Amino acid sequence: MKLAVAFLATIGATAAFAPAANTVARTSALNMVQQLDLKTGQSQLDTSVVDRFNALPYPDDKVLAEYVWVDAKGECRSKTRTLPVARTEAVDKLPRWNFDGSSTDQAPGDDSEVILRPCRIFKDPFRPRADGLDNILVMCDTYTPAGEAIPTNTRAIAAKAFEGKEDEEVWFGLEQEFTLFNLDQRTPLGWPKNGVPNRAQGPYYCSAGPENSFGRAVTDAMYRCCLYAGLEISGTNGEVMPGQQEYQIGPCVGIDAGDQLFMSRYILQRVCEEFQVYCTLHPKPIVEGDWNGAGMHTNVSTKSMREAGGLDIIKQAIYKLGAKHQEHIAIYGEGNELRLTGKFETASMDEFSFGVANRGASVRIGRDTEAEGCGYFEDRRPSSNADPYLVTGKIMATIMEDVEVPEIAPLDRAEA
């Protein structure tokens, strides 16, 4: 299994955030720190000023709770409230809240209230405290005041797929790829402005060195934030295209995979906000030239797949996935047709295939799984912007169906 400007790896942070030459310097409370140009935004504050306020102690009987939810576009929104400590000890003690759904395309203006229902608690890495208490991040899903899940509440859809199947102990490992850009949203980190790298992809994957690795500091910061928050983040690596990165969430059981993946995306965006880099989950951010796209490869293992004879269970699950290939493609992310072309370590979205150690197949079985006769499989079709609730829920629903489907011959590597 596998964000901070373009030159962060080779120059100091002050130079990296330096203003344009025509910026007019002004005396301010920032202790002579150079002002930013308008393109970069209002982010470079003197850390001594920021730290002065961050050093103020929190009341020992209160906690800040950041309620996070998924909007109509699949992006994370959030807002903060103050709660007594006793209300934050368990998710079922947290109060429900509401927001203006007309501002997130989740409700009409004349009936705009959407209810936030807390589902999962994580420690807040952006507001640490030293008094033995934790401020928290709260993953929520969304309902009408009458208690009905709103149409964009994909968590509720996934929950139905997992309901009553706890004995299956289904594990998911999600490989989240993403691409880091300068704030012009046009130039990936490590790319020349209005140009392309002078070397083809290849030396950038899992690389080191200022000529190869771009955005490591941002990814490492995100990694530590996720660990602090209590997420099951299992690793990171630089990806094939320069400026592209990956991290892995899991293994997580059932619906928790979606909760953790969405919270990790929120943390990623908050870290990018701090570094003032732009992060996109678009599956093919660079369409011209020979560059890899970005996916959310989804690794799956049920209890029976991990036991003796599990390889046969894995193959049966893969045959079922093949029988519903187009249904899965329909919910595996927007713009995925630009990525799933049969090139750049992908299979064509028009055909389903599987193979052992074959990254040109729709679904891959690892060499270890084949040798041991049990383990997991990897669905390589989901795009980097895919909804993890929909993906995991759909996979669960499909592989648990009691249906007879035709066998599929494995794709030989030479045919990929």
Side-chain angles (χ1 to χ4, degrees):
M1 292 172 58
K2 320 203 257 229
L3 207 154
V5 296
F7 305 107
L8 183 60
T10 57
I11 60 180
T14 301
F17 293 122
N22 62 354
T23 301
V24 178
R26 301 187 299 274
T27 302
S28 73
L30 302 184
N31 296 333
M32 304 305 290
V33 169
Q34 289 180 303
Q35 298 299 294
L36 297 170
D37 60 51
L38 293 177
K39 293 186 297 182
T40 303
Q42 304 301 310
S43 68
Q44 187 194 17
L45 300 177
D46 185 339
T47 56
S48 66
V49 175
V50 177
D51 290 344
R52 184 188 311 161
F53 297 103
N54 284 342
L56 293 173
Y58 291 99
D60 58 11
D61 60 342
K62 293 180 174 61
V63 163
L64 300 188
E66 190 79 17
Y67 279 46
V68 181
W69 72 95
V70 182
D71 68 12
K73 295 181 179 180
E75 299 175 353
C76 291
R77 307 280 187 122
S78 73
K79 62 178 186 174
T80 316
R81 69 183 302 174
T82 307
L83 293 173
V85 173
R87 294 297 300 271
T88 65
E89 293 173 349
V91 69
D92 57 358
K93 292 185 177 182
L94 289 169
R96 298 190 178 194
W97 206 8
N98 65 77
F99 66 92
D100 171 17
S102 68
S103 296
T104 63
D105 294 326
Q106 291 174 288
D110 59 354
D111 188 13
S112 64
E113 189 169 292
V114 177
I115 307 302
L116 292 170
R117 182 183 71 98
C119 299
R120 186 75 154 78
I121 296 175
F122 302 93
K123 292 172 60 176
D124 188 343
F126 305 105
R127 295 179 175 127
R129 22 193 319 172
D131 59 357
L133 297 174
D134 294 308
N135 292 316
I136 59 175
L137 303 176
V138 183
M139 195 69 222
C140 304
D141 62 355
T142 46
Y143 294 83
T144 67
E148 299 176 353
I150 66 173
T152 58
N153 184 349
T154 56
R155 188 184 192 278
I157 297 172
K160 292 179 181 178
F162 292 112
E163 188 177 6
K165 300 180 179 66
E166 290 78 12
D167 290 345
E168 294 293 338
E169 297 178 16
V170 60
W171 295 355
F172 291 99
L174 306 177
E175 305 175 28
Q176 178 67 69
E177 295 177 338
F178 57 95
T179 311
L180 301 176
F181 281 70
N182 289 275
L183 283 183
D184 61 6
Q185 300 185 25
R186 295 173 55 87
T187 311
L189 297 197
W191 291 51
K193 190 172 184 178
N194 300 320
V196 297
N198 58 14
R199 294 177 299 157
Q201 63 182 24
Y204 313 105
Y205 173 68
C206 295
S207 65
E211 76 280 16
N212 296 321
S213 181
F214 311 101
R216 186 192 300 275
V218 186
T219 304
D220 281 356
M222 181 275 306
Y223 197 169
R224 293 191 64 168
C225 284
C226 287
L227 288 170
Y228 181 93
L231 291 168
E232 293 294 335
I233 183 169
S234 52
T236 68
N237 60 266
E239 263 303 332
V240 176
M241 191 186 83
Q244 189 183 82
Q245 302 278 332
E246 178 191 303
Y247 64 90
Q248 303 92 35
I249 292 292
C252 298
V253 178
I255 197 73
D256 194 41
D259 290 340
Q260 294 210 30
L261 199 282
F262 263 123
M263 187 56 75
S264 74
R265 287 181 178 177
Y266 174 76
I267 290 174
L268 173 61
Q269 292 293 354
R270 286 286 301 270
V271 169
C272 286
E273 178 184 329
E274 295 287 341
F275 279 90
Q276 285 290 281
V277 295
Y278 171 71
C279 173
T280 180
L281 299 183
H282 194 284
K284 195 70 173 179
I286 304 296
V287 296
E288 296 182 1
D290 295 334
W291 305 104
N292 274 30
M296 188 188 73
H297 301 156
T298 302
N299 299 272
V300 186
S301 180
T302 63
K303 183 178 180 181
S304 58
M305 292 178 187
R306 299 188 292 272
E307 296 174 344
L311 184 57
D312 289 336
I313 306 298
I314 290 172
K315 289 181 178 180
Q316 287 298 320
I318 291 174
Y319 302 155
K320 294 177 184 178
L321 291 172
K324 292 195 170 185
H325 176 58
Q326 292 303 328
E327 289 185 21
H328 283 256
I329 289 295
I331 57 95
Y332 272 11
E334 294 186 11
N336 213 11
E337 71 280 358
L338 300 173
R339 166 179 165 264
L340 295 182
T341 63
K343 300 179 180 179
F344 310 114
E345 302 183 43
T346 70
S348 170
M349 69 186 301
D350 297 324
E351 298 179 359
F352 180 86
S353 60
F354 86 96
V356 176
N358 191 339
R359 285 177 165 78
S362 304
V363 175
R364 180 181 69 91
I365 296 175
R367 285 287 183 200
D368 288 347
T369 294
E370 181 190 42
E372 296 172 8
C374 60
Y376 70 97
F377 67 86
E378 176 192 42
D379 190 337
R380 299 179 56 80
R381 297 171 295 171
S383 72
S384 47
N385 61 5
D387 184 322
Y389 291 133
L390 290 180
V391 170
T392 58
K394 182 64 173 178
I395 291 174
M396 186 68 176
T398 297
I399 68 175
M400 288 294 111
E401 281 189 322
D402 185 11
V403 294
E404 292 291 332
V405 294
E407 291 189 14
I408 302 172
L411 181 66
D412 184 89
R413 283 177 294 173
E415 300 175 27

